[in-house]
Amino acid sequence: MDLKIKYENGSMTVHLENFLNCHNISKVKKLVKIIRSSFTPECEGIIREYIEQEIEQFEPRQREISKYIIGYTEKVKFCQTQLDNCTANRVRYKRNSDGWKHYNNHVKQFRQELKEIKSLLRSRQSEYDRNIRDKDFYKKVLEIIT
């Protein structure tokens, strides 16, 4: 969403999503000050509407991310159990025997799968945390605007 602000010495276009992604309160204060002294003070209302929409989307987004986090956590536990079982079974055989090779292949597969799932879990967790930071930032911006 773009804001077109007209003021005494010219005009300015602000890409609102990119601007707010900086999470810089001092820049938001400066922008609000510019908007209030401009010929287009209605832009302040546009910012408020955009932020209120983002805050409304917060809860559904958090619930969805939480489901993924819970699912990936369960998968990590399952893969870790399987990896432990295969490692324990591999120990029963001599190195490079057929049984050892069989379980070693499973150990490699579960380690790779565990690595991928942990990566997905970390990305969802960081998304969850980023979403919380966004909500807090948006609340501060609303306080500045009102």
Side-chain angles (χ1 to χ4, degrees):
M1 172 180 276
D2 292 342
L3 288 178
K4 295 191 186 335
I5 303 167
K6 295 181 182 176
Y7 49 93
E8 201 172 300
N9 299 331
S11 66
M12 162 175 32
T13 301
V14 177
H15 303 290
L16 199 54
E17 292 131 14
N18 295 344
F19 180 78
L20 292 175
N21 280 339
C22 293
H23 291 256
N24 192 331
I25 291 293
S26 62
K27 288 186 179 184
V28 171
K29 287 179 182 178
K30 288 179 185 177
L31 180 65
V32 169
K33 186 176 178 182
I34 290 171
I35 289 173
R36 288 182 179 160
S37 66
S38 72
F39 299 138
T40 54
E42 65 273 1
C43 290
E44 196 172 335
I46 294 171
I47 295 173
R48 183 180 301 115
E49 288 174 17
Y50 174 79
I51 291 173
E52 288 171 351
Q53 288 174 354
E54 288 295 314
I55 289 175
E56 286 174 8
Q57 295 174 3
F58 173 77
E59 288 300 325
R61 206 178 301 145
Q62 288 299 84
R63 272 188 253 119
E64 181 182 340
I65 296 170
S66 295
K67 289 178 186 176
Y68 280 106
I69 290 173
I70 291 168
Y72 288 142
T73 304
E74 293 300 317
K75 280 187 174 182
V76 165
K77 289 178 186 175
F78 175 76
C79 282
Q80 188 64 50
T81 304
Q82 294 295 338
L83 178 62
D84 293 342
N85 290 340
C86 287
T87 305
N89 285 333
R90 183 180 66 178
V91 171
R92 296 185 335 200
Y93 297 96
K94 283 187 173 184
R95 192 176 184 103
N96 291 328
S97 66
D98 290 339
W100 186 90
K101 288 179 182 177
H102 171 75
Y103 284 111
N104 193 46
N105 288 334
H106 287 295
V107 166
K108 287 179 182 178
Q109 289 173 351
F110 283 120
R111 282 184 180 157
Q112 182 63 31
E113 189 175 341
L114 195 58
K115 181 180 175 183
E116 292 168 2
I117 294 171
K118 282 184 177 181
S119 173
L120 291 170
L121 178 62
R122 277 192 303 276
S123 69
R124 291 296 179 162
Q125 188 65 48
S126 66
E127 187 178 348
Y128 185 88
D129 296 340
R130 184 176 51 249
N131 207 18
I132 290 172
R133 284 191 305 273
D134 287 349
K135 183 181 179 188
D136 294 340
F137 175 73
Y138 288 149
K139 284 183 178 181
K140 288 179 185 176
V141 172
L142 277 179
E143 289 174 10
I144 292 169
I145 291 175
T146 54

